[in-house]
Amino acid sequence: MAPYESDRTAGAEGLLDEADDVRAGRRKAARYVVPVAVVGVAAATIGLVPALADSGDPSLPKITAEQLIEKIAKSDVQQLSGTVKVSTDLGLPSLGGLESGMLSGATEGSGGSSADPQSKLMELASGTHTVRVAADGPDKAKVSVLENAAEYSIIHNGNDVWAYDSKSNEVYHSTAPAAEKGEEKAPKDVPTTPKELADEALKSVDDTTSVTVDGTAQVAGRDAYKLLIKPKQSGSTVGAITVAVDAKTGVPLKFTLVPTSGGAAVVDAGFTQVAFAKPAASTFDFTPPKGAKVTEDKDGKDTKESKESKAPESAPSHGDLGKGLDGLKTIGKGWSTIAEFDTGGQGMPSGSSSEGGDVSGFLNSLGDHVKGKFGSGTVFSTRLVNALITDDGKVYAGAVTKDALVKAANAAH
């Protein structure tokens, strides 16, 4: 039952447009973390994830969906600390040695430091993780991933960004200019928070989306409204999004992804503890431990000289892979959008380990061979993102069903 139901109308989209000014300069929505093998062909289409808030029924004033979206957009909390539980279940087979190989490759590409944030992506792509977060304005932030007898932390304090892996006793250091007014310069490639996930999901709100207020809940001891987001289109693998929004501050407290196929959530990220008081200044202090290996990110230094020497276009980041692909175009709109691009006729890696190796074996374990007007190809599936790679090297990817990909590939030929 939805006691405060209010169907999504064009008015909500207008509120989102107005909210651009409110959110200007804030950190752009965080990336949705999936294994490198899959994200390499599907990253251009990832941008939304569904959520179900904790049960509970606090008595709160009625609010419309438009008002709740506006409340999120205008939320300006600068100080908080808390613990976030993040669970990811893409339905992937065990990565085994392939995961180690990919992590090793990521580490080598980052100057050989296991503390580089990029080398941690695969570890956060599956399973359940406990993350501690703290923030004090746009120039101070800390994210710590708690592991068995170890901890991985990213600390942003002024111009410095430090990453520390206690397991390997390695430190990664880069610099960033102090944030301008209203602009966050927090480290990227860190576990996404409910706020970041909600921001990304709201970008997908248009006339292909139904948005309602689906009652209330209590999350981390705080009263919250539940914003329910559902695709109106068929063919999407996204089932619904429910964001639990703090009734007082407008901060999203919980975010969970549920696919159309049902079952456990694909992504479930929510605070188990949260406070909106100013964290202690020492929270953001960091000095490399004695004996730690320290790697400096020379390319990340935003000095005058480095700015002048930078290439006009840098390589795309993990959350922005699609922008670096030649000939990238999209098919359809809204939740059924499919990214199409050409790998240059290379098709799938295959054959000996020197040609494809463990990567080929891993991809084939996910693959479903299909045929159509495009010839033949393989569909690689997770519970959220699917990608069709044809034998002539064309790729069709999105948060859509296998049938939708095959239909799009047929229509393109």
Side-chain angles (χ1 to χ4, degrees), residues 277-303:
K278 180 183 178 70
S282 59
T283 302
F284 310 103
D285 292 338
F286 181 79
T287 301
K290 184 178 181 180
K293 175 186 175 183
V294 179
T295 300
E296 290 287 344
D297 178 14
K298 296 180 181 179
D299 293 334
K301 292 182 182 296
D302 254 329
T303 61

Side-chain angles (χ1 to χ4, degrees), residues 3-4 54-60 214-218 223-224 226:
Y4 308 134
D54 287 345
S55 60
D57 190 21
S59 178
L60 293 171
D214 190 29
T216 61
Q218 273 213 337
D223 292 347
K226 297 190 293 182

